[in-house]
Every structure is written in structure tokens, then in C-alpha cells.
Amino acid sequence: MKIKYLLLITMIFISGCSSLKRSSIARHYNKLDRRLDKLMEDEIDEKKRADLEKKFENLKSEITDYRSKNLDESIQYTEDYLRDVNIRLEYLKDLKD
């Protein structure tokens, strides 16, 4: 019986983490944005910059996939995040050595 409850809780947790609701996108974007700010505080480490660029690219593709799969929902807020992510990506690309 305990295994069934554990399995159910795990499934609920995984399904909750995989959805890209507004709060999830905001949390993910804000985390990456803080990392970008921290990167800018010190001398720019190319490895960290490349890693952050990759993470922003992943976020962009996740949002784009979410938009294409949920055309019937009101997902206007994703346009704002896509615009901001694109700006951060261009900035990170400009910082490339």
C-alpha cells in the first residue's frame, strides 16, 4: 500500500514539474536572470557564460513547445518571456569571446 502512495505522489510531482504554467516559467526565468546578474559581477568565465546561454536556449525551446501544444489556451504571457529570453540570449552571445 505504501508503494502505491509513493508512486502516486511521484507521478503527481513529475506532472507538476513538467507543466509550464506562468509561475513555473517565471520562477525558471528569474533563476536564470539572477545567474546572469551574478555572471556580470565578476570577470566573465566563458564556461559559465556558455552554460547559461544553453540554459536560456532550453527555456526558449520549452516555452515555444508549450505554446505550440496549447494553442487553445490563453498563453499571451509567454510572448513576454520569449522576448526577454531572446534579449538575454543576444546579450550572452555578444559577450562571447
Side-chain angles (χ1 to χ4, degrees):
M1 192 64 154
K2 291 180 182 180
I3 294 174
K4 288 181 182 178
Y5 285 124
L6 181 60
L7 183 61
L8 178 65
I9 290 171
T10 304
M11 288 175 36
I12 291 171
F13 179 74
I14 290 172
S15 68
C17 291
S18 64
S19 67
L20 280 179
K21 296 190 176 175
R22 185 179 211 145
S23 61
S24 174
I25 292 173
R27 193 172 31 254
H28 195 135
Y29 172 79
N30 289 333
K31 179 181 174 183
L32 292 177
D33 198 42
R34 282 191 302 272
R35 286 186 61 192
L36 177 60
D37 289 341
K38 185 174 176 130
L39 179 72
M40 299 304 299
E41 288 176 359
D42 301 325
E43 186 175 332
I44 297 172
D45 179 8
E46 178 57 27
K47 189 173 182 180
K48 288 181 181 179
R49 188 213 58 79
D51 181 53
L52 191 55
E53 181 180 346
K54 182 178 176 184
K55 290 184 188 267
F56 270 109
E57 287 284 351
N58 289 340
L59 178 60
K60 179 181 176 180
S61 67
E62 288 176 17
I63 294 171
T64 304
D65 290 345
Y66 179 74
R67 287 172 53 99
S68 65
K69 292 177 184 175
N70 296 291
L71 295 175
D72 57 333
E73 292 183 29
S74 175
I75 51 175
Q76 182 69 25
Y77 64 92
T78 57
E79 288 182 26
D80 296 333
Y81 283 107
L82 279 176
R83 182 189 66 240
D84 291 344
V85 166
N86 284 328
I87 291 169
R88 294 327 186 259
L89 279 169
E90 286 301 316
Y91 186 69
L92 284 165
K93 289 175 183 176
D94 288 344
L95 291 175
K96 189 183 257 185
D97 289 338

